[in-house]
Amino acid sequence: MRNTTPVLLLAAMASLLAQSTSTYRVTHTYTLGGDGSWDYIVPDPPNHRLFIARQTRVMVVDEDTGKLLGEVTGINGAHGTAVAESTGHGFATSGNDQAVVMFDLKTFKALGRIPAAEDADAIVYDSASNRVFTLNGDAHSSTVIEPKAGTLITNIPLGGKPEYGASAGDGKVYANLTDIGEVVEIDAKTATVTRRWSTAPCKQPVSMAIDTGHHRLFSGCRSGVMAVSDYQAGKVVATLPIGAGVDGAGYDAASGNAFASNADGKLTVIHQDSPDQYHVLANVDTPQGARNMGLDPANHRVYIVSAKFGPVPAGGKRGPVLPGTFTLMVIEH
């Protein structure tokens, strides 16, 4: 039998070299301008557009050209956006007035306001139950909405402060509880909490992404790690170092790469070697403050935003966004 060990070894080395050499980089930059801070970036893959929360509104931007297509207005404290394509409706949290704005996905016109709870932040659409779930930070709850009529169904107590969440597409919705370091599982049809587990050694889990193929959750943690959970077993299986000030996460099934966008000017790329084993592939340079991201699984692009800031006011954490400097960047492999 011919000895194939050298050939196999060379192939393995080539594979490792390819994985360790990241070519992720910013390929396009679009100046969007406009006043106000920002939060979640939510891709809408079928329509090739992005929903970007901008404090008093949600900007709708063409993914391919960076053109502003329109805005959802009348929002007081914009955070998250959810797209319920089958109903023709989108939903944007209006955190400062404890509400959700339902809007038309074609015209972006507001259609109504739905009461939520204090600090309505992230928002997730679950296709299996055809329901929308807000994650209300200070209220420690999730508001459940029927998306066709835009009516309130119930509020679910979560037992902790939720940040971002994800739908598994099987009738389960997951959310990070940042204050107590847990992931909580919600049964979307019964609107009840069914399980929870610790994210230790990760502390302050905020951003979340999901790999439904391998039943894994990726929680970006302010303690400087990404915690990977087996959501069937309800336990953390791996932790990886990431940058500081994480607020966004994504997972691309085609490449097997998970992402954490961080305020320190790094996009951490983590490769999935197997469902329970991972390694840091790269830390891509990004502008300071680019801590939010959206990943479009259709084109495998990562979208981040940032701006230039003025002087920090007395007692403040960050200066105002300088006019005309808000920018969308596209990161590709």
Side-chain angles (χ1 to χ4, degrees):
M1 183 176 180
R2 185 166 60 92
N3 184 0
T4 60
T5 301
V7 176
L8 292 174
L9 182 61
L10 286 171
M13 290 175 64
S15 176
L16 286 171
L17 182 61
Q19 292 177 9
S20 63
T21 307
S22 170
T23 57
Y24 283 98
R25 66 194 187 282
V26 176
T27 58
H28 297 85
T29 300
Y30 304 107
T31 301
L32 301 180
D35 297 327
S37 58
W38 61 88
D39 206 345
Y40 299 117
I41 306 166
V42 178
D44 178 16
N47 298 298
H48 312 287
R49 59 192 183 188
L50 303 169
F51 294 94
I52 306 174
R54 289 299 306 279
Q55 197 167 351
T56 59
R57 66 210 185 277
V58 173
M59 302 177 81
V60 189
V61 179
D62 186 294
E63 285 187 349
D64 299 319
T65 66
K67 179 184 177 182
L68 180 65
L69 302 174
E71 295 186 326
V72 182
T73 59
I75 300 173
N76 183 11
H79 292 289
T81 308
V83 177
E85 185 74 35
S86 62
T87 68
H89 297 158
F91 298 83
T93 49
S94 184
N96 293 347
D97 52 13
Q98 305 178 26
V100 174
V101 174
M102 183 172 79
F103 62 92
D104 187 285
L105 284 173
K106 292 182 178 179
T107 65
F108 315 129
K109 180 182 178 181
L111 301 174
R113 301 179 75 84
I114 305 151
E118 189 179 3
D119 190 25
D121 191 352
I123 187 167
V124 177
Y125 173 66
D126 176 64
S127 59
S129 64
N130 190 33
R131 289 178 166 181
V132 172
F133 294 78
T134 71
L135 297 171
N136 312 315
D138 292 344
H140 292 195
S141 69
S142 173
T143 299
V144 188
I145 296 169
E146 193 287 313
K148 183 65 177 177
T151 53
L152 171 67
I153 296 175
T154 190
N155 283 286
I156 309 169
L158 300 181
K161 183 176 183 175
E163 276 278 347
Y164 208 64
S167 165
D170 60 358
K172 297 292 191 299
V173 173
Y174 297 92
N176 291 316
L177 300 182
T178 184
D179 58 336
I180 58 176
E182 288 185 352
V183 171
V184 65
E185 178 188 81
I186 300 169
D187 184 299
K189 292 181 180 179
T190 63
T192 56
V193 171
T194 48
R195 286 190 306 163
R196 61 181 69 236
W197 63 89
S198 171
T199 58
C202 144
K203 297 178 182 178
Q204 290 185 285
V206 285
S207 60
M208 179 177 281
I210 192 166
D211 168 14
T212 57
H214 299 106
H215 307 105
R216 296 294 182 266
L217 289 173
F218 304 90
S219 296
C221 307
R222 291 279 167 82
S223 58
V225 299
M226 176 174 274
V228 185
S229 292
D230 178 338
Y231 62 78
Q232 289 185 316
K235 65 177 183 180
V236 171
V237 296
T239 56
L240 288 301
I242 61 174
V246 64
D247 209 47
Y251 175 76
D252 179 30
S255 63
N257 290 334
F259 303 84
S261 53
N262 313 297
D264 66 355
K266 296 292 182 183
L267 175 76
T268 303
V269 185
I270 293 171
H271 185 72
Q272 184 183 65
D273 303 314
S274 72
D276 290 346
Q277 294 189 344
Y278 301 79
H279 73 272
V280 175
L281 184 63
N283 280 288
V284 182
D285 289 333
T286 59
Q288 291 285 327
R291 66 178 195 163
N292 301 101
M293 63 162 281
L295 170 69
D296 186 331
N299 60 24
H300 317 294
R301 295 172 180 167
V302 174
Y303 298 89
I304 61 171
V305 293
S306 190
K308 295 179 181 179
F309 301 94
V312 179
K317 295 181 179 179
R318 188 172 62 187
V321 174
L322 295 178
T325 66
F326 182 71
T327 302
L328 169 69
M329 287 151 282
V330 184
I331 296 177
E332 298 180 84
H333 194 275

